[in-house]
């Protein structure tokens, strides 16, 4: 009889250990699955907003380079290589504004920066995620920006 009682206690402990193990595994899954799901779903959107921030820096860099060439004599040219972030579709120069358009599926944004330099009206189609060599030229009508050269990469 004592042997039966000891045998039953031993079986109950094995059951208790497996139940505790199952509880630990379930707790781990309940914590980790939502975290991984969140990062999987929101990852592309966060990448897009990082590209918008990078586009703001590119717009500021373009304005700085335009200011540099406009302070020189007419027909002065400089060229600068700039890395264009992913999702950029075009850059437009009008009056004293630089407008960078970004698009990813249904998300669309425009980064607009205004400077002291007057631009010739120009629209440059861009392949995001590449490096472009922009040519800045000081003309009597304002600064003309062109992008004759791009290098794949990114």
């Amino acid at each position: 009889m004592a042997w039966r009682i000891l045998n039953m206690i031993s079986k109950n402990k094995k059951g208790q250990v497996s139940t505790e193990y199952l509880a630990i595994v379930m707790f781990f899954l309940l914590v980790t699955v939502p975290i991984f799901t969140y990062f999987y779903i929101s990852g592309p959107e966060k990448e897009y907003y990082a590209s918008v921030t990078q586009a703001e820096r590119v717009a500021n860099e373009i304005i700085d380079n335009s200011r540099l060439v406009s302070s020189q004599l007419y027909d002065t040219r400089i060229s600068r290589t700039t890395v264009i972030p992913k999702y950029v579709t075009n850059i437009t120069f009008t009056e004293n504004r630089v407008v960078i358009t970004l698009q990813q599926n249904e998300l669309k944004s425009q980064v607009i920066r205004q400077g002291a330099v007057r631009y010739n009206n120009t629209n440059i189609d861009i392949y995001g995620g590449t490096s472009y060599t922009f040519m800045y030229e000081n003309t009597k009508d304002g600064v003309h920006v062109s992008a004759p050269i791009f290098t794949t990469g990114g």
Side-chain angles (χ1 to χ4, degrees):
M1 176 111 164
W3 182 253
R4 280 188 179 166
I5 294 174
L6 287 174
N7 196 16
M8 286 177 56
I9 292 173
S10 168
K11 286 182 182 178
N12 284 342
K13 285 188 178 182
K14 286 182 184 178
Q16 181 181 358
V17 168
S18 65
T19 305
E20 289 173 357
Y21 176 76
L22 184 61
I24 291 170
V25 168
M26 289 302 295
F27 176 75
F28 177 75
L29 288 175
L30 286 173
V31 170
T32 57
V33 168
I35 292 172
F36 287 122
T37 303
Y38 169 76
F39 285 116
Y40 179 76
I41 290 172
S42 67
E45 187 176 307
K46 290 184 185 298
E47 181 185 29
Y48 176 78
Y49 289 119
S51 292
V52 171
T53 302
Q54 292 169 352
E56 291 172 354
R57 290 185 184 155
V58 168
N60 291 334
E61 181 181 334
I62 289 171
I63 287 174
D64 290 343
N65 290 330
S66 300
R67 188 178 312 130
L68 175 67
V69 78
S70 71
S71 66
Q72 306 298 319
L73 297 173
Y74 291 130
D75 296 328
T76 301
R77 294 180 184 174
I78 62 168
S79 62
R80 296 287 189 259
T81 301
T82 303
V83 177
I84 304 297
K86 198 173 180 181
Y87 308 119
V88 172
T89 57
N90 68 19
I91 300 177
T92 305
F93 300 91
T94 57
E95 297 176 9
N96 61 346
R97 289 189 306 268
V98 176
V99 180
I100 299 178
T101 305
L102 297 95
Q103 185 169 3
Q104 178 207 19
N105 299 332
E106 69 279 351
L107 296 173
K108 186 173 183 178
S109 301
Q110 286 188 326
V111 174
I112 302 171
R113 289 292 184 262
Q114 188 169 343
V117 176
R118 180 169 173 73
Y119 293 101
N120 294 342
N121 291 338
T122 308
N123 185 25
I124 302 172
D125 291 327
I126 297 289
Y127 301 104
T130 58
S131 297
Y132 279 81
T133 300
F134 287 101
M135 181 71 67
Y136 301 87
E137 182 179 1
N138 188 7
T139 65
K140 291 182 181 182
D141 298 327
V143 175
H144 178 72
V145 182
S146 60
I149 303 169
F150 77 92
T151 308
T152 59

